[in-house]
Amino acid sequence: MDVDNFSQEIEELRSRVRGIWQRTATQPNSHQELIIAAFNELQMVVEELLVASEELEVTRARAERERQRYQELFDLAPDGYLVTNIVGKILEANYAAAIILSVRQQYLIGKPLVLFIAQQDRQIFSSLINNSQQIQDCIIDINPRLGTPFPASVRAAPVYNSQQKLVGWRWLLRNISETKQAQERVAKRTVELAKANEQLLGEITERKRAESQLLHLAFHDVLTGLPNRALFMNRLEDAVNYSKRHSDYLFAVLFLDLDRFKLINDSLGHALGDQLLLTVAQRLQECLRSVDIAARLGGDEFIILLVGIKDVVEVVAVVERIQKKLALPVILGGQEVFTTASIGIALSITGCQQPEDFLRDADIAMYRAKTQGRACYEIFNTDMHIQAMAHLELVNELRRAVELREFQIYYQPIVSLSSGKITGFEALVRWLHPKHGIVLPEYFMSIAQETGLIVLIEQWVLYEACGQMQQWQEQFSSNSENLPKSPLSISINLCSTRFSEEKLLPHINKVLQDTGLNAPSLTLEITESVIMENNDKAIIRLKQLRNLGIKLAIDDFGTGYSSLGRLHHFPINQLKIDRSFVSGDIIDGNLDIVQTIITLAHKLGVDVTAEGVETEEQVAMLRKLSCEYGQGYFFSYPLDSSQAAALIMANPQW
């Protein structure tokens, strides 16, 4: 029972006693009866009062416990709680509020709360206590008695009495400095993360760009930007697979190799050579449809895939369009340059099953076109494959021959036409094939040149021939008086690869030192085409060779395209007239040519050796023309070393 109910109960009892007295006053009862009735009524009232008192005590105890619990919660709350009157004077404050405001709890009572509000936020505080309509939240700076001001979260709740009149405020204070610092750290970190995210996005974009670039580089030629072999083979494989499912689908593979590109590249330099390749790549693309593909294999080699063609006539039309386009002049370094291409064609109707087979067949056809001259094309057939396999077998056999040294040097004498005596020999290499016997140079030298094996072969020939000549000079120097008075010489052919090789001079010098042969006893024979291909560099290289003390001869003179106006610049010792001008009847047709060459040589102060001398009449005519030396079957066939030694010993005279 609460206090209000107990008061109401007392009032009701008082009314009942008053009613008894009024009722008995009007009745004619005796005084004794009145007392008894009043006592009984009073006893009942007392009993009821005792019961009400007990209930009130229980209610008070419960209320005290609730108040105590509230006080404990109030005091031990982690946040600051205060109660103020309507003007902000503190009436109650918990322990947390005292800690927050840096004031002892008992000293807070009676103090205006505004004293602890930062000056700049007091206007906000005034607006809070002047607005009694609702609970309000805000952030203000608290200025504690001791310590540093800090931000606080404030909640103000109005307090009303039973008549709904505002009688005060309840305040909740919470120090949010750490929260604010955390928010600032979060904001700062958010900015940092935003920057990091932006940087990451940039890196991802850059990585994607790099990956795209790498992917492009993986499938495209760096110089021309054309697809490379890998991308081309992917497209070719698609075409092959499609043709297997559709029998009427035709395609063609073209293999292009530029003619004379090496000469242009060496003459004008690699930078202009690259510019030429760029121009060629652009022109090839201009000749093709969007569905076709042109790729660069490397160097001056290009490949083209023509898809969905009607017949071979359409392919030939494309090839002729390409050749016509490539034949147009190109301006490189201020001068006009012309180029053409040899083109091999492989058609899908050949029945190959693998993409590599089509590329191989087109390559074979291209090499066949190369042999036909410049700006030619060839369509692959099975005979070409058979010949290519034979060529490959020959290359492999030649490589084995170099490793096993299946070669032998034969020596053909060079005779002085004035004395009729041997003055030296030309070293001629022969391949001692294990199956085919002796193979002449004309059957394997071109392959040796093509594969680069010529370098190893000629190095071996130079060493062996110089060593053999040194041995003969020692063997026959002190013998019969009939032997040659001057030392015999050895002539060795030098190919174009060796002539332009940087290591040539050190190698020759080392061979002379190792064999002990005197430099004047060695003559290097170089074709005029090799000299003309190297242009001004040839003069420098010839002078370097002459400085070693060796002699130089232009071989096969008359078959090349040398400029007679520049011939006197070449530091040579000898011209060798090609056998095509000497063999047969020298009087018919070639006499004037031979006489002109001999006269020219004498004007230049060099000797002449006539190759291919086969008859006594030819010898007589050459002597009449004052030709110094002769070489050919009339004097001797090429001999092995023992036969040549026997010929030296015999010392014949013609």
Side-chain angles (χ1 to χ4, degrees):
M1 174 181 294
D2 56 22
V3 176
D4 292 338
N5 291 336
F6 184 76
S7 299
Q8 186 177 358
E9 186 75 18
I10 294 296
E11 186 62 31
E12 289 179 357
L13 290 174
R14 184 182 290 112
S15 298
R16 286 169 58 188
V17 171
R18 188 182 297 114
I20 292 171
W21 283 107
Q22 291 175 354
R23 192 168 55 248
T24 57
T26 59
Q27 294 179 358
N29 295 328
S30 64
H31 184 70
Q32 183 67 30
E33 291 176 347
L34 178 61
I35 294 173
I36 294 171
F39 180 79
N40 290 336
E41 188 71 27
L42 182 61
Q43 186 177 2
M44 291 177 59
V45 170
V46 170
E47 290 177 353
E48 290 180 3
L49 284 174
L50 289 174
V51 172
S53 177
E54 290 176 358
E55 291 180 357
L56 179 60
E57 188 64 30
V58 171
T59 300
R60 283 177 176 173
R62 186 184 301 115
E64 179 63 22
R65 287 196 301 272
E66 291 295 330
R67 189 197 67 77
Q68 187 66 30
R69 186 181 300 111
Y70 164 78
Q71 191 65 40
E72 289 176 355
L73 291 174
F74 183 76
D75 289 336
L76 299 177
D79 297 323
Y81 285 98
L82 302 106
V83 177
T84 68
N85 60 14
I86 59 175
V87 295
K89 185 178 180 180
I90 299 174
L91 303 178
E92 295 182 53
N94 68 350
Y95 180 74
I99 295 298
I100 290 175
L101 300 178
S102 297
V103 180
R104 289 184 180 182
Q105 193 172 359
Q106 60 270 31
Y107 292 153
L108 278 176
I109 308 303
K111 302 293 190 300
L113 179 58
V114 72
L115 294 178
F116 301 97
I117 306 299
Q119 187 68 39
Q120 69 272 14
D121 290 337
R122 290 183 178 181
Q123 186 65 36
I124 299 175
F125 176 77
S126 297
S127 65
L128 288 176
I129 62 176
N130 289 327
N131 185 356
S132 60
Q133 301 302 316
Q134 57 185 358
I135 297 175
Q136 301 172 77
D137 295 301
C138 66
I139 303 294
I140 60 176
D141 282 348
I142 298 297
N143 192 11
R145 185 178 179 185
L146 301 174
T148 306
F150 59 85
S153 170
V154 177
R155 165 166 287 195
V159 178
Y160 299 95
N161 61 12
S162 58
Q163 287 76 36
Q164 296 300 311
K165 180 181 178 182
L166 180 67
V167 293
W169 294 89
R170 293 190 183 94
W171 302 86
L172 170 64
L173 302 180
R174 181 175 297 161
N175 187 338
I176 61 170
S177 57
E178 292 185 0
T179 303
K180 194 168 184 180
Q181 291 173 1
Q183 290 175 343
E184 290 175 353
R185 288 195 299 270
V186 169
K188 181 180 179 181
R189 185 58 177 161
T190 301
V191 173
E192 292 175 352
L193 288 175
K195 291 181 179 179
N197 186 57
E198 184 179 353
Q199 183 178 359
L200 181 60
L201 289 175
E203 291 176 357
I204 292 174
T205 302
E206 179 63 23
R207 175 172 290 185
K208 288 182 178 180
R209 187 196 64 78
E211 288 176 353
S212 177
Q213 185 177 6
L214 287 174
L215 185 64
H216 184 273
L217 291 174
F219 291 100
H220 290 81
D221 176 55
V222 176
L223 174 63
T224 63
L226 290 178
N228 59 11
R229 179 190 177 98
L231 180 55
F232 181 88
M233 295 306 292
N234 287 342
R235 289 285 302 275
L236 179 56
E237 183 177 6
D238 293 341
V240 172
N241 293 334
Y242 189 83
S243 67
K244 291 177 181 178
R245 299 191 302 269
H246 303 81
S247 58
D248 58 341
Y249 180 77
L250 300 177
F251 64 87
V253 177
L254 311 183
F255 198 115
L256 287 80
D257 184 86
L258 299 183
D259 300 320
R260 298 188 314 112
F261 177 74
K262 184 179 184 303
L263 178 60
I264 296 173
N265 206 35
D266 292 344
S267 301
L268 301 181
H270 294 287
L272 294 181
D274 289 346
Q275 187 62 45
L276 176 60
L277 293 174
L278 283 169
T279 302
V280 169
Q282 180 181 352
R283 291 181 176 181
L284 289 178
Q285 290 178 299
E286 292 173 356
C287 295
L288 303 178
R289 303 166 299 172
S290 59
V291 295
D292 301 324
I293 179 175
R296 182 185 178 213
L297 274 183
D300 60 337
E301 293 181 337
F302 297 85
I303 44 179
I304 294 174
L305 175 62
L306 304 177
V307 296
I309 58 175
K310 297 178 182 178
D311 48 36
V312 68
V313 176
E314 184 178 355
V315 178
V316 171
V318 174
V319 170
E320 291 178 347
R321 185 162 65 246
I322 290 173
Q323 289 180 328
K324 184 177 179 181
K325 193 79 170 179
L326 294 182
L328 297 175
V330 181
I331 305 300
L332 297 176
Q335 65 183 98
E336 228 175 29
V337 175
F338 295 86
T339 187
T340 55
S342 299
I343 304 176
I345 305 170
L347 302 173
S348 57
I349 56 176
T350 56
C352 293
Q353 298 298 313
Q354 300 299 325
E356 294 79 6
D357 296 338
F358 289 97
L359 195 61
R360 176 203 63 201
D361 294 347
D363 188 18
I364 292 172
M366 183 276 293
Y367 274 104
R368 175 62 66 88
K370 213 87 162 136
T371 62
Q372 306 302 318
R374 300 172 186 168
C376 293
Y377 67 87
E378 284 286 343
I379 300 176
F380 175 82
N381 57 52
T382 53
D383 290 339
M384 291 183 185
H385 181 62
I386 295 173
Q387 294 171 6
M389 294 301 294
H391 178 81
L392 179 61
E393 183 180 1
L394 184 59
V395 169
N396 293 333
E397 290 178 345
L398 188 58
R399 291 186 187 278
R400 187 197 66 236
V402 171
E403 293 176 1
L404 301 179
R405 295 192 176 181
E406 296 176 349
F407 298 99
Q408 183 176 348
I409 299 177
Y410 276 64
Y411 301 89
Q412 187 172 37
I414 298 174
V415 177
S416 169
L417 296 181
S418 59
S419 66
K421 297 288 187 177
I422 297 174
T423 61
F425 291 86
E426 179 180 357
L428 303 171
V429 66
R430 300 289 186 263
W431 179 7
L432 302 183
H433 196 283
K435 293 182 179 179
H436 306 298
I438 297 177
V439 180
L440 298 178
E442 51 262 36
Y443 293 105
F444 68 85
M445 272 302 178
S446 60
I447 297 177
Q449 184 87 19
E450 172 189 325
T451 58
L453 294 173
I454 188 67
V455 175
L456 297 175
I457 294 174
E458 287 196 353
Q459 287 178 348
W460 177 81
V461 169
L462 181 65
Y463 195 92
E464 291 294 319
C466 288
Q468 182 63 76
M469 181 51 63
Q470 170 62 19
Q471 181 181 339
W472 284 340
Q473 288 181 355
E474 292 180 355
Q475 181 179 353
F476 300 114
S477 62
S478 58
N479 287 348
S480 171
E481 294 181 358
N482 294 329
L483 293 177
K485 303 300 181 184
S486 59
L488 295 172
S489 64
I490 187 72
S491 295
I492 300 174
N493 291 286
L494 193 66
C495 70
S496 59
T497 304
R498 290 280 283 157
F499 183 73
S500 57
E501 190 183 34
E502 292 298 326
K503 298 180 180 179
L504 175 63
L505 272 70
H507 180 255
I508 292 176
N509 198 39
K510 187 175 187 306
V511 169
L512 293 175
Q513 291 177 358
D514 291 348
T515 61
L517 183 68
N518 293 324
S521 297
L522 172 61
T523 300
L524 293 180
E525 297 184 4
I526 308 165
T527 62
E528 59 177 320
S529 59
V530 170
I531 296 175
M532 294 311 299
E533 283 178 5
N534 289 273
N535 209 351
D536 293 336
K537 296 180 181 179
I539 299 177
I540 298 174
R541 179 50 56 89
L542 291 172
K543 288 181 179 180
Q544 291 171 338
L545 292 170
R546 279 293 298 272
N547 290 338
L548 293 178
I550 63 179
K551 296 179 180 178
L552 302 172
I554 296 182
D555 194 18
D556 301 332
F557 188 79
T559 59
Y561 302 92
S562 59
S563 171
L564 298 180
R566 300 192 58 200
L567 195 59
H568 68 280
H569 293 295
F570 299 145
I572 58 174
N573 305 94
Q574 190 178 135
L575 292 180
K576 297 189 74 173
I577 303 175
D578 187 70
R579 66 180 65 252
S580 62
F581 299 112
V582 178
S583 300
D585 192 349
I586 195 174
I587 300 176
D588 293 338
N590 293 331
L591 179 60
D592 292 340
I593 296 176
V594 173
Q595 184 177 8
T596 300
I597 293 174
I598 294 173
T599 302
L600 174 63
H602 292 165
K603 291 289 186 182
L604 296 174
V606 300
D607 296 332
V608 179
T609 298
E611 295 183 296
V613 178
E614 298 176 348
T615 66
E616 189 173 348
E617 289 77 15
Q618 293 170 353
V619 173
M621 183 57 66
L622 291 170
R623 281 174 172 160
K624 184 177 180 180
L625 295 175
S626 300
C627 181
E628 282 79 12
Y629 302 100
Q631 179 182 347
Y633 294 160
F634 176 77
F635 305 109
S636 173
Y637 284 86
L639 308 170
D640 61 26
S641 58
S642 59
Q643 292 171 333
L647 185 64
I648 296 172
M649 180 64 71
N651 192 24
Q653 183 174 7
W654 290 275

